[in-house]
Amino acid sequence: MTSGIDSEHQTLHTERASLPGDKEHSETSEGSKVANDQDPPSPPHEFPEGGLEAWATAFGAFLVQFCGFGYSASFGVFQDFYTQHYLTNETSSALSWIGSLSVFLTTAMGLVSGSLHDRGYFYHLVITGSVLQSLSLFMLSLSKPDQYYQIFLSQGLGLGIASGLNYIPSMAIISHHFRRRRTLVMTFVASGSSLGAVIHPIMLNNLLHGPVGFTNGVRASAGLVSAFLLIACLCMRTRLDPPAKPVNYIVAARKCIRDVPFILMIAGGFLFQIGFYYPLFFFQLDSIKHGIGTTFSFYSLVILNVSNCVGRVTSGFIVRFTGVPNLIIISSISCGVLILGMIGLNSLASVVVLGMLYGYFAGLNTGMAAPLMATLTPDLSELGARMGICLFIVGFGILIGTPISGALLTSHYTWWIPALFSGIASLTGGMMFITMRYMFLRRQRVGTLLLDNQAVS
């Protein structure tokens, strides 16, 4: 089963060329020699698979992920701080709306950013998104205690739109420079968000709860993010001209509706994301409320996100043996089980074990999100559009998931109810991915039979 998926994954890279001349290039085997960096520049239809410009672009995209999803995934620090110190009059559900809206907009804005990216507006998107993100964080530092709307507008709305403008362009630009190594490089870029989710919580916990305070602490983090985004904008470069006829989103959406595996992936992603962010938002607060100790609890998210980073990095190597669909299924089911396991969180050991295991499998899952969309896209010229459509719909799962969990938690902190809800939702999403894999294999077999029949005739 594993080898079948892996061979089909390789076939996708050889049969789905979207540019002239890709066919010849795609016949290169996995172990073939990569072009030397000192060779003359490759023609537009060939992929350099390396070189200073390609790796500088990958590094810039890595920094965008560090500052975008990496900051959003650190919202558990703010959830704890707002609950206990800054927005004490608000419910856990109301506070969760801030973080969930930010993450939702990061994905949902893909409908706009993906379309504009396909039309050649890459630099416009990343520069605008970077400036807006810096501005939003500095505006957040001006927010006053118990002024919910100020934090909601700056952190929920502004930061979410900014990250959304940057997210898809920073992932899709990898396809300009890499083809054979695309999955591996995408996992490297995606690991930026998990590394950011390690650094940001350490920095924010020590600043917000220390003598620096909220205002100067957020300003310090805003300065760090602004510097990294400036470096990212200077590093990233496009290589291919936009298509003469940009992808029509309406036409792409109609194709998606008829693409059963892709629809199943969207449905599974929506259900899975309802529960996925529950640990990221509530893990630190859960640890503190169970008396684990404030100092250690501050590092609970760090433990989770360090494992997440390891998961994302290793996913690019593991997928060679499992295939993308299989790895998505394994990681999704594992995440659902571990979320249910949070019902038993009551000791330091349980925090460490759950944090490490959930972080690792969540990293595997997130690292394979973009490669899965690429795998299920027959025509790679539509990848930006399909990513935008998929992330927009899946984003609604993110939007409603943690606020529902916060409402189920109540002011009495009944932890088992939101953990049960989130775990079941994620497991259901994993079941949808199993069905997706079956339909994908079936489509591949039908396509192979048709090609064989044409060859015989």
Side-chain angles (χ1 to χ4, degrees):
M1 181 176 68
T2 296
S3 60
I5 289 292
D6 188 60
S7 62
E8 288 160 8
H9 181 65
Q10 296 299 328
T11 303
L12 287 171
H13 283 283
T14 61
E15 293 181 353
R16 297 183 311 166
S18 60
L19 295 169
D22 278 356
K23 182 177 180 181
E24 179 181 351
H25 175 79
S26 63
E27 292 172 357
T28 306
S29 64
E30 184 66 31
S32 64
K33 183 178 179 181
V34 180
N36 191 288
D37 292 349
Q38 297 179 352
D39 290 343
S42 301
H45 63 271
E46 294 182 2
F47 292 82
E49 300 291 348
L52 178 60
E53 183 176 288
W55 288 114
T57 298
F59 177 68
F62 173 91
L63 292 179
V64 170
Q65 298 298 313
F66 179 96
C67 299
F69 257 121
Y71 206 93
S72 299
S74 306
F75 185 75
V77 175
F78 288 100
Q79 180 85 25
D80 174 35
F81 184 78
Y82 293 154
T83 299
Q84 300 193 76
H85 304 289
Y86 216 68
L87 296 175
T88 54
N89 295 327
E90 303 296 335
T91 65
S92 295
S93 179
L95 297 177
S96 296
W97 277 109
I98 299 172
S100 65
L101 177 65
S102 178
V103 179
F104 166 73
L105 289 174
T106 300
T107 59
M109 285 296 295
L111 276 178
V112 177
S113 62
S115 176
L116 292 176
H117 173 270
D118 290 343
R119 286 167 169 77
Y121 291 98
F122 172 80
Y123 296 111
H124 303 76
L125 288 166
V126 295
I127 292 173
T128 301
S130 298
V131 171
L132 180 58
Q133 184 168 353
S134 178
L135 178 63
S136 297
L137 286 175
F138 279 109
M139 293 303 295
L140 175 62
S141 70
L142 300 176
S143 301
K144 303 300 180 183
D146 294 321
Q147 298 299 313
Y148 178 83
Y149 76 96
Q150 295 178 356
I151 295 176
F152 183 85
L153 291 176
S154 58
Q155 188 172 12
L157 189 63
L159 191 62
I161 293 174
S163 299
L165 291 176
N166 285 338
Y167 176 61
I168 282 185
S170 67
M171 293 299 293
I173 195 64
I174 301 302
S175 297
H176 281 221
H177 301 275
F178 299 92
R179 177 179 177 81
R180 184 169 52 81
R181 292 180 172 182
R182 184 181 297 142
T183 298
L184 183 61
V185 176
M186 278 186 171
T187 57
F188 161 73
V189 171
S191 68
S193 60
S194 55
L195 180 61
V198 172
I199 303 300
H200 292 308
I202 295 176
M203 182 178 183
L204 290 169
N205 269 319
N206 284 281
L207 292 174
L208 299 184
H209 296 275
V212 175
F214 179 82
T215 299
N216 291 326
V218 174
R219 285 176 184 170
S221 69
L224 177 69
V225 167
S226 300
F228 281 173
L229 288 176
L230 175 61
I231 295 172
C233 290
L234 295 174
C235 286
M236 292 185 292
R237 290 291 182 270
T238 59
R239 191 181 69 90
L240 303 174
D241 294 328
K245 185 178 180 181
V247 176
N248 188 313
Y249 264 53
I250 297 177
V251 174
R254 289 174 179 170
K255 289 183 179 179
C256 290
I257 293 174
R258 295 192 294 268
D259 190 337
V260 176
F262 198 84
I263 288 296
L264 289 171
M265 178 193 69
I266 293 176
F270 171 81
L271 293 169
F272 178 74
Q273 293 294 331
I274 288 177
F276 179 76
Y277 278 88
Y278 170 72
L280 295 174
F281 279 30
F282 291 98
F283 198 51
Q284 179 171 314
L285 182 62
D286 193 351
S287 177
I288 291 174
K289 291 298 182 181
H290 279 93
I292 306 303
T294 302
T295 302
F296 181 82
S297 295
F298 284 170
Y299 289 91
S300 59
L301 282 178
V302 175
I303 294 171
L304 189 153
N305 287 312
V306 166
S307 297
N308 188 288
C309 186
V310 174
R312 294 195 193 205
V313 172
T314 57
S315 65
F317 299 96
I318 296 174
V319 73
R320 296 181 179 181
F321 304 98
T322 64
V324 176
N326 282 346
L327 191 54
I328 283 286
I329 292 170
I330 294 169
S331 59
S332 300
I333 297 296
S334 299
C335 284
V337 171
L338 289 168
I339 293 173
L340 292 175
M342 288 187 66
I343 296 174
L345 188 151
N346 57 11
S347 65
L348 187 148
S350 63
V351 171
V352 173
V353 172
L354 286 171
M356 291 179 62
L357 290 177
Y358 184 80
Y360 183 76
F361 284 106
L364 292 178
N365 187 276
T366 307
M368 286 295 101
L372 179 64
M373 285 183 271
T375 299
L376 297 181
T377 301
D379 183 359
L380 287 178
S381 67
E382 297 179 348
L383 182 58
R386 286 207 172 201
M387 287 179 71
I389 293 169
C390 178
L391 293 175
F392 176 77
I393 298 173
V394 169
F396 282 98
I398 302 171
L399 180 65
I400 65 175
T402 50
I404 292 175
S405 296
L408 294 173
L409 181 61
T410 71
S411 59
H412 301 291
Y413 297 105
T414 311
W415 290 102
W416 71 269
I417 298 178
L420 180 63
F421 165 77
S422 300
I424 291 176
S426 293
L427 283 173
T428 305
M431 298 300 175
M432 294 295 292
F433 288 138
I434 294 175
T435 309
M436 171 209 72
R437 177 191 175 279
Y438 170 77
M439 297 303 296
F440 175 66
L441 278 174
R442 182 179 178 183
R443 184 174 69 181
Q444 292 298 103
R445 284 195 293 266
V446 171
T448 301
L449 289 174
L450 290 176
L451 289 175
D452 291 342
N453 291 335
Q454 290 177 359
V456 171
S457 62

